[in-house]
Amino acid sequence: MTDEALRELVPAVISVLCRRGADFAAAEDAVQEALVESITAWANDPPRDPKGWLVTVAWRKFLDLVRSEAARARREERSESLAESGAVPAAEDSLELYFLCAHPALSPSSAVALTLRAVGGLTTRQIAAAYLVPEATMAQRITRAKRSLAGKRLNRNGDLASVLRVLYLVFNEGYSGDVDLAAEAIRLTRQLRVMSNHAEVAGLLALMLLHHARRPARFAADGSLVPLADQDRSMWDTVAIAEGVEILQTALARDDVGEFQAQAAIAALHADALCVEETDWTQIVDWYDELARITDSPVVRLNRAVAVGEADGPLAGLAELAHLDENLPRYFAVEAHLRERAGEVDAAAALYSRAAAAATNTAERDHLTLQAARLNSSRS
C-alpha cells in the first residue's frame, strides 16, 4: 500500500474511533500507534482490508491508552523510588521498537519525540508540554516521523549506538512541563538494560544516575546555575551515586569500554570527591584521553583541556586549548576560566563576556555574565 493511500485512511479511522467514544486527541494517538505497528506487521503479510485492520488495532490501542493512563500516573509517582532502588518495571515494548525509533531516517528531535510516544507511552500533549511547543506542532512532528519510517526495513546490526544516543538526548532535555524527561530517560534505559545485555547500555544508565544525583545542587533558589566546583555536595543523592558506580564497575569489568562508560567514569570520579579540592584530576585526564581515543571529538578535547588545567596548572591547560578551534561551543568560557586561574583578570573578564554572548541557554548566559561582572568589579 502506498504512503499516499495510507494517509488517506487516517481521517476515516479516527472518525470511527470518535464515533465509538474516543476523544479526538486520544483517537489520533491510537491511530498513530496502529500505524507504527503496521510498519512491521504489513511487511510480510499485508491485510486484505487495511482500513479494517487499522480500526481494529487502533481501537485496541485506544483501550490500552485509557488503561495505561492510571498506570502512567503510578509510574511517575514512583520514578524517584525506581531510581533509588534499581527496580525495573516490566518491559512494555519490544527491543525492536527502540531500534525503530532510532532509525537513521529520522532527525534527532523526531527520534526523541517518537521514542517518548511509542516506547515511553507519553501522550502527544505531554511531549508537547515537555518541549514547550503547541500540541498540534508535536503531533505533526510525530506523524512526520512515522511517515518517514513507512516501508523501512529494520536492521538491528550496529544500531545500538543510535538508540543510546536518542535516550541520552531525552535525558539532556531535563525537566519542563509536567513530565520529568530525565527520570523518564532513566526509566527507559533501565528497561533497555533488561532487554540488551550490552556494556554501553549499563554505561549510559550509570552516567545518567551519576549526573541525576547532582541535580538538587545544580541550581540556586533563584534559578541561577551553580557550577560543579561550587555545588553543595551534601545535596547530592548518595544512593543514586552508589548505584551508578556499582553499575559502572560491573560494565568496566567486561573490558569493552565505550563512550558512555568513559563519560560515566569521569562523572564517578567527580562524585567520589567529598570536596572539589579532593578531585582526582590526573585520573580524569586519563579517562578523557580514553574518551578522545574512542570519539575523536573536539568537544571532548576541550573538556580535557579543563582537566589538564586542574591537574597540571592553567598554563598547561591553555597550551592544550591552543590546539583547538575557537568556534567550539564553550571555547571562550573555558579560556576565561583558565586565564582567570593564571591571574590574567582583564583577559578573563573580556572572555567571560564574549562567552556569555555566545551562550545558547539563559542559565549559562546569566552565569557567564555574572563571572564577567565579578572580575570587572574586582578591578574597580
Side-chain angles (χ1 to χ4, degrees), residues 209-210 213-214 236-246 268 271-272:
L209 289 168
L210 290 164
R214 300 203 300 258
W236 290 0
D237 184 344
T238 56
V239 174
I241 289 172
E243 184 191 2
V245 170
E246 181 180 359
D272 191 51

Side-chain angles (χ1 to χ4, degrees), residues 286-320:
D286 290 342
W287 274 110
Y288 270 122
D289 287 338
E290 179 69 12
L291 188 56
R293 182 191 65 77
I294 295 169
T295 65
D296 194 28
S297 166
V299 174
V300 169
R301 297 187 188 281
L302 181 68
N303 292 330
R304 180 184 179 279
V306 176
V308 169
E310 298 294 339
D312 300 327
L315 296 182
L318 287 167
E320 295 292 331

